[in-house]
């Protein structure tokens, strides 16, 4: 991993992953790929090269790959679950047709590809607790359908053409840097903004609906560590279950209130998001990731809440 293209570099994961790679991979050149309207700014723009990288433009991707001699692509372009439900054809176009464009360029130019999958790749028939690595995947959301297709296409290109594809199934990701854009797990980020601003939080997910969650530093470590893993140890490829913590809204809000005593909340459940959330695992079994590439998270719910509140107070200039 030396010359890297991050597609979706200004998004929820990309904005932090691009900076981490620039800081931590010695001698690397990391191109911040973006689409018009979502240009990189500030440190992201100034700390390295950037280029328009639209997954729907195969020729454009090939040009960037040649110009920067790209050897690794982190493909983070996606519509999240709630938005994908409103624009299903666009979600398919970006997540599936876009991935095919990337995989074709990768096949021709010998490029490794990381494309995240998600807890969203599971569905109502999937075992909810200790969800196995290899199990039923029959999601009913378009987001989930595209994520299963993503896993299968990535495996197909590995088995048929030897393309070095790897991925993880991310849980809901929590971060203070960039807001997620229209996912089912967004509540676990938004709530911290309300808590720090002293506003009552109105939660769209039911009090007891559990989902897997992860703090962003662990998620970024997973992506980098998997791409650096010894291929001879990998039995699986696309995508590995990874887990760090699992909670319901009520449990998360209680921990936040123990740290921010004036915090209050109420529920106005959104049927669309709740139906998606209820079909996702409570907690994935991540033993394959632990065995095959030494995955190990650092942040639990308490550490996450403490760090989020501390950093958001600084970001929002509170206290
Ligand atoms: N965080 C995503 C969503 O809620 C799931 O991977 O859509």
């Amino acid at each position: 991993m030396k010359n890297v293209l991050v597609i979706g570099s200004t998004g929820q994961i990309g904005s932090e992953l691009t900076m981490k790679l620039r800081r931590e991979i010695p001698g690397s050149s990391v191109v911040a790929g973006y689409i018009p309207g979502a240009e990189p700014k500030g440190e992201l723009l100034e700390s390295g090269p950037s280029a328009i990288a639209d997954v729907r433009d195969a020729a454009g991707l090939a040009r960037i790959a040649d110009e920067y001699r790209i050897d690794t692509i982190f493909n983070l372009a996606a519509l999240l679950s709630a938005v994908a439900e409103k624009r299903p054809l666009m979600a398919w176009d970006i997540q599936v047709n876009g991935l095919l464009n990337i995989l074709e360029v990768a096949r021709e130019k010998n490029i490794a590809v990381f494309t995240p999958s998600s807890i969203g790749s599971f569905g109502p028939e999937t075992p909810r607790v200790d969800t196995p690595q290899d199990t039923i995947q029959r999601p009913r959301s378009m987001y989930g359908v595209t994520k299963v297709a993503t896993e299968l296409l990535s495996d197909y290109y590995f088995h048929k053409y030897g393309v070095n594809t790897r991925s993880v199934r991310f849980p809901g990701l929590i971060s203070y840097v960039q807001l997620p854009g229209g996912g089912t797990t967004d509540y676990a980020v938004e709530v911290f903004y309300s808590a720090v601003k002293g506003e009552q939080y109105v939660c769209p997910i039911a009090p007891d609906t559990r989902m897997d969650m992860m703090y962003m530093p662990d998620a970024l470590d997973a992506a980098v560590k998997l791409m650096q893993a010894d291929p001879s140890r990998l039995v699986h490829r696309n995508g590995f279950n990874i887990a760090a913590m699992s909670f319901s809204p009520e449990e998360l809000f209680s921990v936040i209130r123990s740290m921010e005593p004036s915090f209050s909340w109420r529920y106005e459940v959104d049927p669309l998001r709740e139906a998606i959330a209820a079909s996702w695992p409570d907690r994935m079994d991540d033993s394959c990731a632990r065995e095959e590439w030494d995955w190990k998270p650092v942040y639990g719910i308490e550490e996450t809440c403490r760090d989020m509140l501390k950093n958001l107070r600084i970001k929002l200039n509170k206290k």
Side-chain angles (χ1 to χ4, degrees):
M1 187 173 1
K2 191 168 175 297
N3 298 327
V4 180
L5 170 62
V6 179
I7 297 177
S9 69
T10 59
Q12 187 199 10
I13 303 173
S15 53
E16 293 186 61
L17 183 66
T18 308
M19 294 309 301
K20 179 184 171 78
L21 293 169
R22 284 180 178 164
R23 274 194 309 269
E24 293 180 12
I25 310 284
S28 67
S29 158
V30 182
V31 181
Y34 65 93
I35 50 169
E39 287 81 3
K41 296 188 183 76
E43 202 189 12
L44 191 58
L45 176 67
E46 283 145 26
S47 58
S50 51
I52 293 179
D54 186 333
V55 293
R56 294 164 294 186
D57 172 14
L61 295 176
R63 271 196 307 274
I64 299 174
D66 287 339
E67 183 178 344
Y68 294 95
R69 297 171 178 278
I70 297 297
D71 57 58
T72 305
I73 293 176
F74 287 89
N75 167 27
L76 307 175
L79 296 190
L80 290 184
S81 54
V83 176
E85 226 35 51
K86 296 195 171 123
R87 310 182 76 176
L89 299 186
M90 188 178 185
W92 180 268
D93 203 25
I94 292 173
Q95 267 118 262
V96 182
N97 295 336
L99 174 63
L100 275 171
N101 288 335
I102 293 169
L103 290 171
E104 276 298 300
V105 172
R107 177 170 74 85
E108 279 164 20
K109 301 177 192 298
N110 194 23
I111 296 171
V113 182
F114 176 91
T115 305
S117 186
S118 158
I119 47 173
S121 69
F122 297 114
E125 292 92 5
T126 305
R128 191 139 314 157
V129 178
D130 289 332
T131 305
Q133 172 66 39
D134 302 309
T135 186
I136 302 165
Q137 290 180 279
R138 304 283 297 178
R140 297 201 189 153
S141 70
M142 180 49 104
Y143 180 75
V145 170
T146 66
K147 287 296 168 187
V148 175
T150 296
E151 293 186 10
L152 293 173
L153 282 171
S154 298
D155 272 349
Y156 180 81
Y157 270 71
F158 170 67
H159 291 297
K160 186 157 175 107
Y161 303 117
V163 178
N164 184 5
T165 55
R166 304 179 184 193
S167 68
V168 295
R169 295 178 182 135
F170 279 132
L173 299 181
I174 302 172
S175 156
Y176 59 88
V177 176
Q178 181 72 276
L179 282 165
T184 301
T185 56
D186 294 14
Y187 90 87
V189 179
E190 292 161 358
V191 62
F192 287 97
Y193 283 79
S194 298
V196 168
K197 288 180 188 163
E199 295 166 358
Q200 185 178 60
Y201 182 61
V202 183
C203 183
I205 303 295
D208 298 324
T209 302
R210 287 183 154 270
M211 285 182 278
D212 260 310
M213 298 279 178
M214 184 174 289
Y215 200 34
M216 190 62 86
D218 279 332
L220 301 178
D221 274 349
V224 175
K225 199 163 189 192
L226 176 57
M227 291 315 278
Q228 292 175 326
D230 174 357
S232 70
R233 286 180 63 198
L234 299 182
V235 179
H236 297 85
R237 284 261 166 181
N238 303 282
F240 284 92
N241 285 0
I242 54 169
M245 59 187 129
S246 166
F247 53 70
S248 65
E250 202 63 15
E251 286 167 353
L252 173 65
F253 302 164
S254 304
V255 175
I256 295 174
R257 188 164 56 190
S258 73
M259 298 174 183
E260 195 72 61
S262 63
F263 171 56
S264 71
W265 66 90
R266 68 190 165 83
Y267 293 90
E268 264 177 35
V269 174
D270 167 13
L272 187 141
R273 285 177 204 237
E274 177 57 25
I276 295 175
S279 75
W280 287 357
D282 291 357
R283 183 170 180 102
M284 291 183 281
D285 174 349
D286 61 1
S287 48
C288 290
R290 289 174 186 264
E291 278 158 29
E292 294 174 37
W293 48 279
D294 307 320
W295 154 248
K296 198 170 181 293
V298 173
Y299 290 87
I301 186 168
E302 299 265 341
E303 297 88 348
T304 301
C305 290
R306 210 168 294 121
D307 206 61
M308 279 294 286
L309 291 170
K310 186 181 95 187
N311 283 292
L312 269 185
R313 278 188 206 114
I314 297 167
K315 182 174 170 180
L316 301 178
N317 224 352
K318 298 276 174 188
K319 290 183 195 161

